[in-house]
Amino acid sequence: MPVNRHAAAFLVSAAVLSAVPLPALAGGFYLQEQSPKETGRALSGGAAAADDPSTVYFNPAAMTQLPGIQTSSGGVLLFASARQQDRGTTRTVPGLPGSVPVGGTSGGNPFDSLIPVPSFYATGQLSDRLWLGLGVTAPFGLKLDYANDFSGRYDSLHTELKTYNVQPSAAYKLMDNLSIGGGVDVQYAKAKLTNALPNLSPLAADGHFQVKGDDLSFGWNAGFFYTSGRTNWGIHYRSAIKHRIEGSATLSGLLGPLAVVNGTSDASTPLNLPDIVTASMMHRLSAHARAMLTARWYNWSVFRDIAITSGAGTSVKELHYRDSYSVSAGGEYDVSPALTLRGGAMFDRTPTNPQFLTTRVPDGDRAWLSGGATWNMSPALALNLSYAHNFIKRVTILRADHYYSDPAAVTVTTRSRTSGNVDQIAASVTARF
């Protein structure tokens, strides 16, 4: 049966775009690694440690504990690995009953061998009451590349998200033991996604889809810092940031009646990043030992669907992300005035929904184990070194994506078992003036 050209153009494009989860990149890939020093204690210092310029990100109110001018520059190197094991991915063929195997490989390790997460912070004391600070970070990001013959290629091939966040901040000491602080987040986001497209015949070469775009948006954050005796308390709120990624979508390689939609058109989609609430405590056990505890809540439930607008109209895909949380505990000990050792552990719950998993975000619940040290080379200069290992829970992906409309409808059911882990090596230099 022939397919109407204009109907095919709309339905093919809508089905293809709705099967490409651009905002889902960030779900499960909020980069916790915003401070090499914090990495060594599994981020347990959080909003209460108040011992490093990276507090600009975790709680700017705690800048009031940093005298003079201080800077911290460095980064975390991520060594990530993931593996997909095909569990029988299939596709339907228009006009035929049942389904046939898609076939293909595991796609290889989709991550780059080395993933840098840089950061820079500076704080300055203007008076006995007022501090200013600046943070430059990359809080969300992901890059994966599967081989072209990956069995899950209709779900994803290339996935890339980059964010750059600049945060000017200020803190004010209301009383000797109570401070408030806040900042503005200026955030640039850039994304690119590709995946294969099924042609009507499984014997034909695959088509290809690509979408890319960028955006600049704004958010804010604020916190409180309170110290009493040997204990510090901190609470911090970081607002959601609502991006609208604008760019282009390109379809190519579609054959027969589907070929009418090959080409490039303008495209846009929202990328909503969650609110984050942090509560932390640091207690001095002795003159040389400190214990820390931090809990975080992520409002990922604001991200329930994707609405992608292009020349073909608007398509909506449900994802139903869930609110998530993390809990970390750690401690550190001053071996000498020049050397401090630290360690920590964290549980980090993924926001991804088991019913809507995708190979674009091969993520599961995570457990951290970490350790680190600070070497005070002089009163003005310190070197922070950390190592962490992330254990990621294995998950099973079972998702059905629908392409085109009758009589050309194709359903691809991706079945895969994903596993992986991450090692982190971090270093930074703190300078005091």
Side-chain angles (χ1 to χ4, degrees):
M1 181 182 296
V3 180
N4 178 272
R5 183 182 187 277
H6 298 289
F10 177 82
L11 293 170
V12 171
S13 297
V16 168
L17 290 173
S18 69
V20 180
L22 179 57
L25 285 168
F29 280 92
Y30 166 63
L31 296 173
Q32 299 270 13
E33 301 82 3
Q34 300 306 313
S35 164
K37 187 172 185 177
E38 276 293 300
T39 297
R41 54 198 181 202
L43 304 168
S44 59
D51 60 355
D52 184 78
S54 62
T55 195
V56 169
Y57 184 84
F58 297 107
N59 184 8
M63 286 192 292
T64 59
Q65 303 300 298
L66 304 178
I69 297 174
Q70 301 191 26
T71 65
S72 176
S73 57
V76 182
L77 298 178
L78 305 181
F79 301 85
S81 65
R83 180 175 181 269
Q84 298 288 344
Q85 181 181 3
D86 185 31
R87 293 294 183 92
T89 298
T90 59
R91 57 156 291 173
T92 61
V93 180
L96 298 179
S99 58
V100 298
V102 167
T105 68
S106 65
N109 179 17
F111 290 104
D112 284 349
S113 58
L114 185 63
I115 305 169
V117 185
S119 60
F120 171 80
Y121 302 97
T123 63
Q125 182 180 3
L126 273 64
S127 69
D128 291 342
R129 296 289 181 182
L130 181 63
W131 277 254
L132 295 181
L134 177 70
V136 181
T137 58
F140 294 84
L142 179 64
K143 184 178 180 180
L144 297 93
D145 271 303
Y146 294 102
N148 288 333
D149 60 354
F150 173 42
S151 60
R153 59 191 178 273
Y154 300 126
D155 184 35
S156 71
L157 281 174
H158 175 83
T159 302
E160 185 171 4
L161 172 71
K162 297 178 180 179
T163 61
Y164 304 98
N165 196 87
V166 178
Q167 179 190 324
S169 302
Y172 188 79
K173 186 179 287 187
L174 298 174
M175 298 184 290
D176 288 343
N177 63 345
L178 178 63
S179 302
I180 59 173
V184 176
D185 293 294
V186 183
Q187 189 172 106
Y188 173 74
K190 182 178 182 180
K192 178 182 178 181
L193 301 172
T194 72
N195 59 268
L197 296 175
N199 269 301
L200 300 186
S201 169
L203 301 179
D206 292 327
H208 188 264
F209 175 79
Q210 173 184 285
V211 63
K212 60 182 180 179
D214 60 1
D215 179 65
L216 179 68
S217 292
F218 302 88
W220 61 275
N221 66 95
F224 293 87
F225 178 82
Y226 178 75
T227 182
S228 177
R230 297 192 297 175
T231 305
N232 294 348
W233 304 88
I235 296 177
H236 181 250
Y237 169 79
R238 183 172 298 279
S239 77
I241 294 183
K242 297 182 178 181
H243 289 283
R244 186 162 191 85
I245 305 295
E246 296 185 337
S248 63
T250 301
L251 292 89
S252 61
L254 293 175
L255 305 175
L258 305 180
V260 295
V261 298
N262 290 330
T264 299
S265 65
D266 293 338
S268 66
T269 182
L271 169 58
N272 297 327
L273 305 179
D275 312 76
I276 303 173
V277 178
T278 303
S280 304
M281 179 273 291
M282 188 274 284
H283 181 70
R284 299 171 186 84
L285 300 171
S286 69
H288 304 288
R290 295 166 293 281
M292 304 175 190
L293 183 66
T294 288
R296 291 181 175 87
W297 175 78
Y298 311 88
N299 188 29
W300 274 114
S301 62
V302 300
F303 183 62
R304 300 188 62 82
D305 57 36
I306 306 169
I308 301 177
T309 302
S310 72
T314 299
S315 63
V316 178
K317 182 172 183 176
E318 302 292 332
L319 287 177
H320 297 285
Y321 271 40
R322 308 171 299 177
D323 291 345
S324 62
Y325 63 90
S326 62
V327 179
S328 57
E332 53 187 24
Y333 183 79
D334 300 325
V335 178
S336 69
L339 180 63
T340 298
L341 301 179
R342 60 181 57 90
M346 178 170 66
F347 174 76
D348 186 13
R349 183 180 184 268
T350 179
T352 55
N353 190 317
Q355 298 180 44
F356 298 91
L357 294 178
T358 167
T359 58
R360 289 200 188 278
V361 187
D363 193 38
D365 294 340
R366 302 184 180 204
W368 283 48
L369 287 178
S370 65
T374 293
W375 175 33
N376 293 301
M377 296 178 282
S378 72
L381 204 62
L383 175 65
N384 307 298
L385 298 173
S386 300
Y387 169 79
H389 183 78
N390 300 165
F391 302 89
I392 304 175
K393 182 181 179 181
R394 294 183 179 183
V395 296
T396 298
I397 297 171
L398 175 61
R399 63 174 300 116
D401 289 312
H402 306 286
Y403 299 84
Y404 326 134
S405 63
D406 288 334
V410 175
T411 297
V412 177
T413 302
T414 303
R415 299 177 177 90
S416 185
R417 179 74 167 172
T418 181
S419 59
N421 59 72
V422 179
D423 289 291
Q424 305 178 29
I425 297 176
S428 67
V429 175
T430 300
R432 308 176 183 94
F433 305 93

